[in-house]
Amino acid sequence: MIIKRRTGWLLALGLALIGALAILAPVPLAFAPALQLTTLTGQTLTLSDWRGKPVIVTFWATDCAGCIKEIPPLRGLYQDYHARGLEMLAIAMYYDPPSHVVAMTGEQQLPYPVALDLTAASARAFGQVALTPTTFLIAPDGRIALQYTGLFDEQAIRAALDRFLKG
């Protein structure tokens, strides 16, 4: 009897977690939204300016352990593919204090642009991003080629970049 109750509770908890993730995961998009952002260095970026190039957009927060864990692979992707055409943008979540974002960007020596999403407009435009890390690989034609909530699959991203940047 106790085992049945525990199994029932575990099943209910598992279903609740799956439901919460489904609610919090971004709505899948076919194409990247037209966004204009200002980076920490004051540069104005428009995603459509990068049309014709693959782009990685990652939503992150300085208090997110998974986001910090992803920085070395993101840095590696940038170093390996930027000269071949890859563009990358890190967007800090609206709740992340700007001073923390500036400090982390410097500490981690991020080679790619970082922008603040102070009003959550970028998160909304990318399908209601609520969880971090959330990473998008945008194909050169503007399609969302890959989307990850949680840690991304580096090998899948590298394989897609190799396809996009061959020749």
Side-chain angles (χ1 to χ4, degrees), residues 120-139:
S122 297
R124 282 192 302 276
F126 268 92
Q128 303 294 341
V129 173
L131 300 174
T132 57
T134 295
T135 304
F136 298 86
L137 174 61
I138 304 167

Side-chain angles (χ1 to χ4, degrees), residues 4-132:
K4 286 184 180 179
R5 282 188 197 164
R6 285 187 183 164
T7 303
W9 276 104
L10 288 174
L11 180 61
L13 179 61
L15 290 174
L17 286 172
I18 290 169
L21 286 175
I23 290 169
L24 294 174
V27 176
L29 301 174
F31 284 88
L35 283 183
Q36 185 173 37
L37 300 139
T38 302
T39 69
L40 295 181
T41 61
Q43 177 186 9
T44 300
L45 294 177
T46 304
L47 281 183
S48 61
D49 289 345
W50 287 340
R51 187 64 55 100
K53 299 180 176 186
V55 178
I56 292 175
V57 175
T58 184
F59 285 85
W60 69 295
T62 58
D63 63 351
C64 163
C67 301
I68 307 309
K69 185 176 181 177
E70 281 190 340
I71 289 174
L74 286 168
R75 193 183 306 115
L77 287 165
Y78 188 82
Q79 290 168 347
D80 293 347
Y81 291 95
H82 180 67
R84 293 174 52 197
L86 172 68
E87 296 295 348
M88 190 177 294
L89 175 64
I91 302 175
M93 295 297 283
Y94 69 92
Y95 53 79
D96 213 350
S99 61
H100 293 189
V101 176
V102 170
M104 178 74 68
T105 299
E107 289 166 13
Q108 294 289 332
Q109 299 177 0
L110 301 183
Y112 43 85
V114 176
L116 300 172
D117 190 16
L118 298 174
T119 64
S122 297
R124 282 192 302 276
F126 268 92
Q128 303 294 341
V129 173
L131 300 174
T132 57

